[in-house]
Amino acid sequence: MSDLKANYRKIFKANLTKIARKNNALWLDYKIQNSLKTELERLFSTHKGKRPINLLLYYPLPIEFDSRKLLHIYKRKKGVQIFLPFMQGISFKIVKYRLPIQRGAFGVYESYDSSFKLFKLDYAIVPVIGMDKTFKRIGFGKGMYDRFFSTLKTKPQTIFICRALNLTHQKITQPYDLQADSFISPFATLKLKDIYNVNMGCYKFHYLRSCRWRG
């Protein structure tokens, strides 16, 4: 399983590079941003209670969707608190997003450390390089998101973000790998609840009409 996952990781990385060459990164990110904003506003509209909405975002690496504009938008949105990963050894904790940003481990930019204790994380936007048939994450192979999410008592609504429609119809992940509720790319938006048939006990991918492979 690990060798298969490693092979797909190489394929997915190569496809991301290929798509970036053939498409304008600004266009890719514009499409993702519009879909993500629509989905977040829908989710926010269902939020109940007086406490702020707690949203995990990330500061992007070059290969990832550029989330900086969304960080700026939601940092200024009333009733929303933004958090970023803060690297700690083989995992991370989350800290409130605030400037200035510093470069930390693995070249990841992060806000400064904080002793703030989070009550509950409501939504999480997680960068991926791909996803398997069980809606589980293919990342860079360090397992940091998996370790962090395993510490949470309540799993937040989780959205995977990727500039490519990197999917495999095989199951190549392990039980502890992070699973998404939604997957957003410039070419399609997929939702776990829409494609899992409980009676049949299997997954089926139904691509949107707008879905097109760019390769």
Side-chain angles (χ1 to χ4, degrees):
M1 184 74 75
S2 60
D3 290 341
L4 184 60
K5 190 175 180 181
N7 288 336
Y8 268 107
R9 186 176 286 115
K10 292 178 182 178
I11 293 169
F12 288 162
K13 283 183 178 179
N15 195 41
L16 277 169
T17 301
K18 184 177 181 180
I19 286 176
R21 285 199 307 264
K22 298 188 72 172
N23 297 272
N24 188 309
L26 292 176
W27 178 84
L28 296 171
D29 289 349
Y30 173 78
K31 297 287 286 185
I32 292 174
Q33 181 174 290
N34 283 350
S35 296
L36 182 53
K37 281 180 64 179
T38 299
E39 180 64 8
L40 285 175
E41 293 305 319
R42 184 190 68 80
L43 292 171
F44 290 173
S45 69
T46 66
H47 183 75
K48 298 178 181 179
K50 295 182 178 180
R51 68 170 179 83
I53 295 170
N54 295 321
L55 172 65
L56 175 64
L57 268 163
Y58 64 92
Y59 206 85
L61 295 171
I63 199 173
E64 296 170 340
F65 160 68
D66 191 343
S67 59
R68 289 177 293 180
K69 188 171 184 178
L70 286 181
L71 283 170
H72 178 71
I73 290 172
Y74 287 112
K75 187 177 187 298
R76 301 175 62 184
K77 187 175 178 65
K78 185 177 180 180
V80 178
Q81 292 189 126
I82 304 298
F83 295 86
L84 295 182
F86 183 87
M87 302 303 157
Q88 287 189 318
I90 60 173
S91 186
F92 62 78
K93 68 176 186 177
I94 58 175
V95 298
K96 276 190 175 183
Y97 170 54
R98 60 190 187 281
L99 301 175
I101 293 291
Q102 62 178 347
R103 188 172 184 175
F106 309 110
V108 176
Y109 285 87
E110 54 195 17
S111 293
Y112 283 89
D113 196 3
S114 168
S115 58
F116 178 84
K117 299 295 183 183
L118 181 65
F119 171 69
K120 180 184 178 182
L121 188 61
D122 298 299
Y123 308 106
I125 312 303
V126 179
V128 303
I129 63 172
M131 185 176 75
D132 79 352
K133 67 176 289 187
T134 63
F135 257 60
K136 289 191 174 181
R137 181 177 187 260
I138 311 299
F140 288 94
K142 300 189 182 299
M144 289 189 167
Y145 274 94
D146 301 319
R147 294 186 185 95
F148 167 72
F149 274 79
S150 70
T151 68
L152 301 180
K153 293 181 180 179
T154 304
K155 180 181 176 291
Q157 187 91 359
T158 303
I159 302 173
F160 287 169
I161 300 294
C162 187
R163 281 176 171 168
L165 194 61
N166 281 343
L167 307 172
T168 170
H169 289 261
Q170 291 181 275
K171 180 180 178 180
I172 61 173
T173 52
Q174 288 75 41
Y176 55 77
D177 284 319
L178 180 60
Q179 186 179 50
D181 298 286
S182 304
F183 174 95
I184 294 177
S185 80
F187 314 113
T189 295
L190 304 174
K191 293 179 181 292
L192 179 62
K193 67 180 180 63
D194 292 338
I195 66 171
Y196 183 57
N197 187 320
V198 177
N199 295 324
M200 292 177 63
C202 65
Y203 288 83
K204 292 183 178 180
F205 285 102
H206 298 287
Y207 299 110
L208 302 183
R209 291 181 180 179
S210 62
C211 169
R212 289 181 295 161
W213 284 94
R214 299 293 181 97

